[in-house]
Amino acid sequence: MKCVDDFRLRFGRKELVPIIIGGMGVDISTIELALEGARLGGIGTISDAMLPDVSDKIFDTSFTKEKTRLFKHNIDNADKSSVKFDLGSIAESTRLHVSKTMDAKRGDGLIFINCMEKLTMNAARETLQVRLNAALDAGVDGITLSAGLHQNSFKLMEENKRFRDAKLGIIVSSVRALQIFLRKNAKLNRLPDFVVVEGPLAGGHLGFGMDWAEYDLATIIAEIAQYLKAEKLDIPVIAAGGIFTGSDAVDFLENGAAAVQVATRFTVAKECGLPDKAKQEYFKASEVDIEVNTISPTGYPMRMLKNSPAIGSGIRPNCESYGYILDAGGKCAYFDAYTKEVEFHKSIKNISVKSKTCLCTHMRNYNLWTCGHYTYRLKDTTRQLPDGSYMQLSTEHIFRDYQYSTDHKILLPDA
């Protein structure tokens, strides 16, 4: 009976344990979590979601404070088109976060950064280009392009001296999405180094509609593998979404996947950035406590715990401080929903907005508990303590369990 350690992910002469720890924002995939993935011989991933604010928290910078000061006069203005990010601040916060991570890296693994392209930041192309190139300049081993794949992402990096050296990959949920991306970037003569195929059981934003349950990860991977073979393209395919045990991973590896990307089980790791209270909510969750809804202002369905404090919250939009979801015209679906509720309930001080949520503020404050489909099984991976809470696990424990377990067994921590 095989285990994950019987396989290797190969990038040229580089061989890795075929486990990628997904890059969960906002700083849920901390530097410490990613470093452990690399130290153990796999790939650890940090996230570039809201990095100016994350930098303020970790490195005591003041990017958010300065942005708030600059646009404070606009707080009561319904027109947010003037609320712009300083591109220098974006570059500096990205370089700081990535360089600190790379300086601390140990072991034979790699560090990637998950670039969430749906962070349009009121200037989608300009801010994305800065984030991508700053990460390359800071020495990151690779970039995973996710969350609303921007068809011109590679072109935005083509002048960078590391464009053909760093590992560049994309996340797709269909063969059609992959075909469009490859066709759009054909003139660059630069293929992706890997393709992460994310299925419908993944956490957070999904690359499907509300008919997500009609899709199956294994089927999508088979379609993509067939397409790549027909086109004679040698691109490693990474399976992601709903891979809960080492045996789950082996099933995909034996059927042609080069590696697996996993995240749900690492949400409750000691090195994960979620507050301890939130981790306990993940442990306690049952299957009926998890839902896929449409409250994200991005327009994508999103999986989360039903008791997330963000759901129904009528918090005032913080576009002047954050504004990461503002489109090129300064619009955000939550801002519109919030404004309508305020106008309709003028006499009510604390309103509730049920149709959308303020993604920036609630993700930043860890009040939007996005999760994978199998989060309800987390309680089965650890031990319950006498006070009713659940024991947190180390990243190494979870990683090794994926790497060496067989027969769908899960290694429990010592009592």
Side-chain angles (χ1 to χ4, degrees):
M1 188 173 295
K2 290 187 176 181
C3 65
V4 170
D5 196 57
D6 292 319
F7 302 84
R8 284 294 179 269
L9 168 61
R10 292 177 174 84
F11 287 130
R13 296 181 180 179
K14 184 77 172 177
E15 292 192 356
L16 301 154
V17 177
I19 298 172
I20 301 175
I21 302 177
M24 300 171 282
V26 173
D27 199 38
I28 295 174
S29 286
T30 60
I31 290 174
E32 292 76 18
L33 181 64
L35 287 173
E36 280 293 271
R39 181 182 69 83
L40 295 166
I43 298 174
T45 312
I46 52 179
S47 169
D48 84 334
M50 297 180 68
L51 273 190
D53 192 69
V54 171
S55 175
D56 293 346
K57 181 179 68 174
I58 300 176
F59 306 117
D60 200 29
T61 52
S62 56
F63 298 117
T64 303
K65 182 180 178 180
E66 287 301 310
K67 183 171 182 282
T68 306
R69 182 189 61 79
L70 188 62
F71 295 106
K72 186 177 181 179
H73 67 278
N74 199 69
I75 289 176
D76 295 325
N77 188 357
D79 183 0
K80 304 298 181 184
S81 59
S82 66
V83 181
K84 302 287 187 179
F85 280 85
D86 178 77
L87 297 182
S89 295
I90 295 172
E92 186 179 348
S93 62
T94 302
R95 284 194 294 264
L96 183 61
H97 196 74
V98 173
S99 63
K100 291 290 186 183
T101 307
M102 299 309 296
D103 288 346
K105 191 180 83 165
R106 301 292 182 271
D108 297 325
L110 300 177
I111 296 288
F112 286 178
I113 186 167
N114 186 37
C115 183
M116 305 182 76
E117 302 184 69
K118 202 60 179 177
L119 300 179
T120 44
M121 302 167 72
N122 211 345
R125 187 183 187 280
E126 294 82 359
T127 54
L128 178 59
Q129 185 169 30
V130 167
R131 288 153 55 202
L132 291 171
N133 283 281
L136 290 176
D137 292 341
V140 75
D141 291 320
I143 298 177
T144 304
L145 303 167
S146 70
L149 194 59
H150 193 296
Q151 300 303 324
N152 291 313
S153 299
F154 276 22
K155 188 171 181 60
L156 298 179
M157 295 180 279
E158 67 173 332
E159 299 300 323
N160 194 291
K161 62 183 180 181
R162 298 191 63 232
F163 175 57
R164 299 187 184 276
D165 297 328
K167 303 303 176 187
L168 304 180
I170 60 175
I171 295 182
V172 299
S173 294
S174 69
V175 67
R176 181 174 179 273
L178 175 59
Q179 290 170 335
I180 292 172
F181 186 89
L182 294 179
R183 191 159 57 244
K184 188 76 173 180
N185 290 273
K187 293 181 180 179
L188 295 178
N189 192 31
R190 176 36 165 118
L191 291 171
D193 294 292
F194 61 97
V195 175
V196 177
V197 182
E198 190 171 81
L201 303 184
H205 289 98
L206 303 179
F208 304 87
M210 288 304 287
D211 60 347
W212 59 269
E214 299 176 13
Y215 297 88
D216 172 71
L217 175 60
T219 301
I220 301 170
I221 287 181
E223 292 172 350
I224 287 178
Q226 183 179 10
Y227 165 73
L228 292 174
K229 183 178 180 180
E231 295 296 317
K232 295 182 172 57
L233 298 175
D234 185 18
I235 304 175
V237 174
I238 317 297
I243 302 169
F244 199 78
T245 68
S247 298
D248 292 338
V250 168
D251 288 342
F252 286 101
L253 294 170
E254 287 188 320
N255 284 286
V260 296
Q261 179 168 290
V262 288
T264 294
R265 287 185 60 186
F266 291 95
T267 59
V268 290
K270 293 176 183 176
E271 293 84 0
C272 173
L274 281 174
D276 290 348
K277 179 181 177 181
K279 291 178 184 177
Q280 292 302 319
E281 293 294 333
Y282 281 54
F283 275 128
K284 292 189 296 183
S286 61
E287 188 170 5
V288 297
D289 295 327
I290 301 168
E291 69 177 16
V292 175
N293 58 41
T294 58
I295 67 170
S296 171
T298 65
Y300 286 82
M302 190 162 54
R303 178 175 281 113
M304 65 187 67
L305 296 184
K306 290 180 180 178
N307 61 335
S308 296
I311 299 177
S313 168
I315 191 171
R316 178 181 62 79
N318 288 302
C319 303
E320 282 67 32
S321 297
Y322 308 128
Y324 291 86
I325 308 298
L326 292 176
D327 65 19
K331 300 292 185 181
C332 169
Y334 175 73
F335 184 86
D336 293 341
Y338 171 83
T339 301
K340 288 180 181 178
E341 289 295 330
V342 169
E343 291 176 352
F344 189 74
H345 300 286
K346 292 181 179 179
S347 61
I348 300 177
K349 185 176 181 180
N350 297 315
I351 64 168
S352 175
V353 180
K354 299 186 183 301
S355 61
K356 298 297 175 184
T357 191
C358 185
L359 199 62
C360 297
T361 303
H362 288 305
M363 286 298 292
R364 187 258 184 193
N365 293 331
Y366 303 109
N367 285 327
L368 189 61
W369 297 335
T370 58
C371 64
H373 176 78
Y374 288 122
T375 293
Y376 66 90
R377 295 174 60 186
L378 287 173
K379 62 176 67 65
D380 300 325
T381 68
T382 189
R383 299 182 187 276
Q384 193 168 19
L385 301 172
D387 65 358
S389 65
Y390 291 87
M391 184 187 300
Q392 292 185 39
L393 308 170
S394 69
T395 296
E396 180 172 5
H397 176 97
I398 301 167
F399 190 99
R400 295 299 193 199
D401 185 42
Y402 268 114
Q403 186 176 2
Y404 294 112
S405 65
T406 58
D407 199 27
H408 289 284
K409 293 179 181 177
I410 292 175
L411 177 65
L412 296 178
D414 294 336

